Amino acid sequence: MTQPFHSAAETSVTDEVVVHVVVADEPPVSLPAELRYDRSDPYAVCLSIGMTSTGTVDWVFARSLLSQGLSRPTGVGDILVTPRHGGPRHAVRIVVRSPAGAAVLYIAVSAVTAFLERTRTVVPPGAEGLFLDLDRVLAELLADDA
């Protein structure tokens, strides 16, 4: 089957960004981070915080969650994305939660918007199913049960 949106030149997007991290009872910290998107997992984006040499923390969540969070509060559970809320101007707010605690992250709206635009050239919204490798997904699900 032909995939009309296929671009041999670009199958993934990686953008370096700065994340301002706010954790309860701690001063805010600015950290290097990456936003990543790959056609092999067309519904997801990855936010990787920290330096590769010292270790990173990765959060994987829906690309649509990040996109919708630019204009309105979106998400439940471990990841919440909202337009600027009490943090740096022109920033998107991402709340991440884990059993270890929670943190509030701020990323420049311009960086998130540019990243999402680039992901749309790799896989347009609504076309993710054309790029989903169901055999791989099924194999991963079955491997997890073993």
Side-chain angles (χ1 to χ4, degrees):
M1 176 170 87
T2 308
Q3 296 179 350
F5 305 110
H6 177 70
S7 166
E10 191 168 37
T11 61
S12 65
V13 174
T14 301
D15 283 0
E16 293 180 2
V17 296
V18 174
V19 174
H20 304 281
V21 181
V22 180
V23 178
D25 301 325
E26 297 290 331
V29 176
S30 296
L31 294 173
E34 286 183 345
L35 283 167
R36 292 192 306 266
Y37 179 79
D38 193 280
R39 182 183 292 163
S40 66
D41 193 359
Y43 290 101
V45 295
C46 178
L47 173 60
S48 184
I49 303 170
M51 301 293 290
T52 306
S53 60
T54 59
T56 62
V57 176
D58 294 338
W59 292 88
V60 178
F61 52 97
R63 174 175 68 163
S64 61
L65 182 73
L66 185 59
S67 180
Q68 292 168 7
L70 289 172
S71 59
R72 62 182 166 83
T74 306
V76 294
D78 293 343
I79 306 281
L80 306 169
V81 183
T82 61
R84 187 181 90 73
H85 177 80
R89 294 192 72 185
H90 309 294
V92 63
R93 176 181 186 239
I94 303 173
V95 178
V96 293
R97 296 183 181 134
S98 76
V104 178
L105 315 173
Y106 293 96
I107 305 174
V109 168
S110 59
V112 173
T113 301
F115 170 75
L116 288 170
E117 283 299 317
R118 291 185 59 216
T119 71
R120 291 177 184 119
T121 66
V122 175
V123 176
E128 293 90 351
L130 296 173
F131 298 93
L132 191 60
D133 182 351
L134 292 178
D135 291 333
R136 179 186 58 83
V137 171
L138 185 57
E140 288 174 4
L141 289 172
L142 292 175
D144 287 344
D145 284 342

